[in-house]
Amino acid sequence: ETETETMRLSIFLVVLLLGEVQCKLTSSKQMYTIGGWNERGGSEKFMREWKPLLADYLTATVGPQYDPPISFQLIPIDWTNNTTAEKLIEEGRLDFIYSERGRLCCHEGDYDFSPLAMQISRAAGKDYLAAGAAVYSLQSNTEVRNISDFRGKRIGVGHHLLPSSYQLGFEMLTEHELNMWVDPSQVIFYGTDYSRQFQDVLSGAVDVGIVTSGWIEDNHPDKMDLLYFHYSNLSINLYVNMGIPTLFQAQSVPFITSTDLVPLNGVAAAPSIQSHLRESVLQALVQLDPAKVPAMHAAGLAKFTIPSSYVYPRTLAEEAGIMKATDTRTQCVGPYPHAHDIVHCPDRYERVADADADGGCSKAGLPCPQGLLCLCRPCEPLVPANFYPWPVVLGLCCALFFVGIWFALCWRIPLETVSLVVPKYDILASATGAGRGGGKSMA
């Protein structure tokens, strides 16, 4: 009987083990690479804050669900100026990406990456899941009080792929009938170096700055009284003055924002990632708990949630000339050094040659700060608008009208003269041939 029970127990354990093995998932490879970046600092800071949250955490929670166990590694990729990022994707060496929403939209259009999770951040003890653009100038600069005053001024922006420090500002100018490439005297791209932009605004080297909302409060709260903020519409201005927080999906954003809002950073998966792995990663990210993962505090992460709509960020990118449609898909312009391609001229204007655009600021007497990219009115009026102004067109039309009348009069005068000299019946007779035979026709 003892041997029988032992055998039954052995069979039970074998069945249990086989069942556990069957529950294990299989994967096409054992190491998955996440390429990531954010605006908070350099690669060392990014790896220090996010490696415990993405690589280590996912390896510990998702890895054991597979047989053999899988692992994750995080590599820093500066999407804003690293041309190797696209190469890594094309070679299939990036399985997941973590970045801001503008970059995620580009990867969705260019490489069919799909959104997986969206970040909810924490600052000043409050959670928020969206950001806008903070458009600011100096209180002492009385020449810049309205958005219409941006005409002829120097504007400092972030990177062209970032909705919160460029694309929302582009939309703001467009809504007020200004164009980024026609009206400001100079546009200076600071990338993600907001500290340098901020100092240039304080020194007067730049008239208007555009940064991600919350950056100023987070880094220079003591300088807020020195700044004058500009708002894209009256309702946002009214809410700020009344102390009413801006809302995104019914949640407040605890920072001054000059524009509408876009979702924060997120995680996206390559098209080759299996559906069960997507689900496992999403479930693990959503279950992140600050009590169990203290690294979330240092990274400013409150939690992850399912992604929101990409419609508005995509619309921003398309209107700003960042995302362009091809025959088969949408495609974003190249990395930071190739910003000429983002110049999107309005109607009746055309883009100057790249060489002329590069020298445009020097020609205008507005030297570009060292190490930065600047563009000074790279759109010029179309040539026909200069050669054929409306007074000339009107004069030509009048001249043609009078010439036509003159020709009509010259054509009718000989006929009228003949009709006076020769009787009508002779003219008619000669035309019909009835007048041949002389007097017989007269009888």
Side-chain angles (χ1 to χ4, degrees), residues 23-313:
C23 290
K24 293 283 187 178
L25 300 172
T26 58
S27 177
S28 58
K29 58 183 181 179
Q30 276 65 59
M31 176 64 74
Y32 288 86
T33 302
I34 307 171
W37 192 256
N38 62 17
E39 303 175 63
R40 291 170 60 89
S43 59
E44 293 183 3
K45 183 179 181 182
F46 171 74
M47 291 298 293
R48 184 172 62 253
E49 293 178 348
W50 284 92
K51 181 178 178 295
L53 301 175
L54 296 177
D56 299 344
Y57 172 74
L58 291 177
T59 299
T61 55
V62 178
Q65 301 177 24
Y66 289 81
D67 184 28
I70 63 175
S71 58
F72 296 82
Q73 64 174 348
L74 177 65
I75 59 175
I77 295 181
D78 186 355
W79 305 111
T80 60
N81 57 21
N82 191 334
T83 57
T84 63
E86 279 70 22
K87 184 178 180 181
L88 291 174
I89 295 177
E90 292 170 356
E91 294 175 352
R93 296 163 59 187
L94 284 184
D95 305 296
F96 299 90
I97 57 175
Y98 166 80
S99 186
E100 45 72 36
R101 186 50 57 94
R103 185 76 260 179
L104 294 179
C105 287
C106 288
H107 288 320
E108 179 189 22
D110 294 351
Y111 303 105
D112 295 327
F113 272 68
S114 57
L116 193 62
M118 181 178 68
Q119 175 180 336
I120 297 179
S121 296
R122 171 165 291 184
K126 298 181 179 179
D127 297 348
Y128 64 101
L129 69 165
V135 183
Y136 66 101
S137 60
L138 281 177
Q139 282 277 7
S140 58
N141 188 357
T142 56
E143 294 183 359
V144 183
R145 280 295 176 266
N146 302 305
I147 297 177
S148 59
D149 297 332
F150 292 3
R151 186 178 285 107
K153 301 300 189 295
R154 299 157 297 178
I155 297 181
V157 299
H159 191 274
H160 64 271
L161 294 178
L162 299 177
S164 55
S165 59
Y166 172 72
Q167 297 172 24
L168 284 167
F170 186 96
E171 181 188 57
M172 182 179 184
L173 266 66
T174 302
E175 291 175 346
H176 288 78
E177 300 182 352
L178 299 178
N179 185 273
M180 187 73 78
W181 310 120
V182 174
D183 296 297
S185 60
Q186 185 179 42
V187 178
I188 306 173
F189 289 91
Y190 287 85
T192 56
D193 193 355
Y194 298 153
S195 295
R196 184 175 181 181
Q197 180 203 109
F198 188 76
Q199 294 302 323
D200 285 350
V201 172
L202 293 182
S203 67
V206 173
D207 299 301
V208 180
I210 303 177
V211 298
T212 301
S213 61
W215 184 89
I216 298 177
E217 292 95 324
D218 193 29
N219 293 272
H220 299 283
D222 56 323
K223 299 291 196 303
M224 294 289 292
D225 293 340
L226 301 177
L227 305 178
Y228 184 91
F229 290 90
H230 306 268
Y231 303 97
S232 61
N233 57 64
L234 184 61
S235 61
I236 295 178
N237 191 358
L238 182 64
Y239 285 172
V240 172
N241 291 333
M242 294 178 62
I244 301 175
T246 307
L247 298 180
F248 182 84
Q249 296 183 357
Q251 294 192 24
S252 63
V253 177
F255 301 119
I256 291 178
T257 178
S258 303
T259 64
D260 291 328
L261 304 169
V262 294
L264 296 178
N265 293 18
V267 177
S272 60
I273 301 301
Q274 299 164 296
S275 59
H276 57 76
L277 180 55
R278 295 169 186 261
E279 295 173 1
S280 298
V281 171
L282 172 59
Q283 185 178 8
L285 292 176
V286 171
Q287 292 177 348
L288 268 168
D289 185 358
K292 298 179 180 179
V293 187
M296 296 174 63
H297 297 289
L301 173 65
K303 59 182 177 178
F304 277 103
T305 186
I306 58 175
S308 61
S309 174
Y310 275 37
V311 173
Y312 183 48

